Amino acid sequence: MNYFLDKLQTRKIKLIKLLKNEYPNRSIAEISKELDCSNQTLMTTIESLIEDLKSFEINTARIRIVSKRIEADFDVNFSVDCLIHEYVRKSFEYQVILDCFFNTTKSIADYAEDFFLSQASTYRKINAVKNILENFNIVLQQSTTLP
């Protein structure tokens, strides 16, 4: 799982686990200390998480900021795994591996455009995917005819 999540997504997962399991109603300062980030970073993370829950149509969790406190409540059937699944499904790394599995031909430029990256960043991310796959004795080879 961690192979496919970026820093922000990882922080969101840690945050939602904290809210669900330990801190359903705590101050921004307490949680930012627990997550080892600034109050502003935590606020940005919370706002992004709230947007993600809406866009993924996960209605079993509700998070809000009230007077410098984070309030969260979760339905019994809420699962952090649903959120993780959505993050992984939309990740660059997962998409590259999926494209390889289904033998989909894409250029570096295609990936750069799809994920709003520069071509240099795209190359770096593909090299990171190669390293991930090497842990499982899988070799990702790029075509020499990439446009």
Side-chain angles (χ1 to χ4, degrees):
M1 164 194 80
N2 291 337
Y3 293 118
F4 300 111
L5 300 180
D6 64 27
K7 208 172 180 180
L8 176 60
Q9 292 166 333
T10 301
R11 191 178 321 108
K12 289 179 205 178
I13 295 299
K14 286 179 183 177
L15 171 63
I16 206 152
K17 284 180 178 180
L18 274 175
L19 293 171
K20 186 174 188 294
N21 299 326
E22 300 172 32
Y23 301 102
N25 185 3
R26 296 285 183 175
S27 73
I28 301 277
E30 288 173 311
I31 294 180
S32 64
K33 185 175 180 182
E34 183 73 28
L35 292 177
D36 194 28
C37 65
S38 70
N39 289 356
Q40 184 57 47
T41 298
L42 180 59
M43 291 295 291
T44 303
T45 303
I46 294 165
E47 291 165 3
S48 180
L49 178 57
I50 291 168
E51 279 302 310
D52 290 347
L53 292 171
K54 285 179 189 171
S55 70
F56 298 149
E57 297 179 1
I58 298 175
N59 301 319
T60 53
R62 288 155 303 282
I63 299 169
R64 57 205 162 272
I65 301 168
V66 180
S67 301
K68 296 187 180 183
R69 296 185 73 75
I70 304 171
E71 294 180 356
D73 66 281
F74 303 90
D75 292 352
V76 185
N77 57 347
F78 171 76
S79 171
V80 175
D81 292 336
C82 289
L83 185 60
I84 293 170
H85 170 78
E86 291 296 332
Y87 287 144
V88 168
R89 197 170 62 86
K90 295 183 181 304
S91 76
F92 177 89
E93 295 79 2
Y94 179 76
Q95 191 60 55
V96 168
I97 292 170
L98 205 60
D99 289 344
C100 289
F101 182 78
F102 288 111
N103 204 21
T104 304
T105 305
K106 276 192 170 180
S107 69
I108 296 295
D110 291 337
Y111 283 116
E113 185 177 323
D114 291 350
F115 288 89
F116 307 103
L117 299 168
S118 68
Q119 287 197 3
S121 292
T122 304
Y123 275 113
R124 277 193 298 279
K125 285 184 148 299
I126 286 179
N127 284 329
V129 170
K130 285 181 180 181
N131 292 335
I132 291 168
L133 292 175
E134 283 175 6
N135 293 330
F136 302 97
N137 296 321
I138 299 171
V139 177
L140 176 66
Q141 295 180 337
Q142 290 174 257
S143 168
T144 55
T145 59
L146 285 177

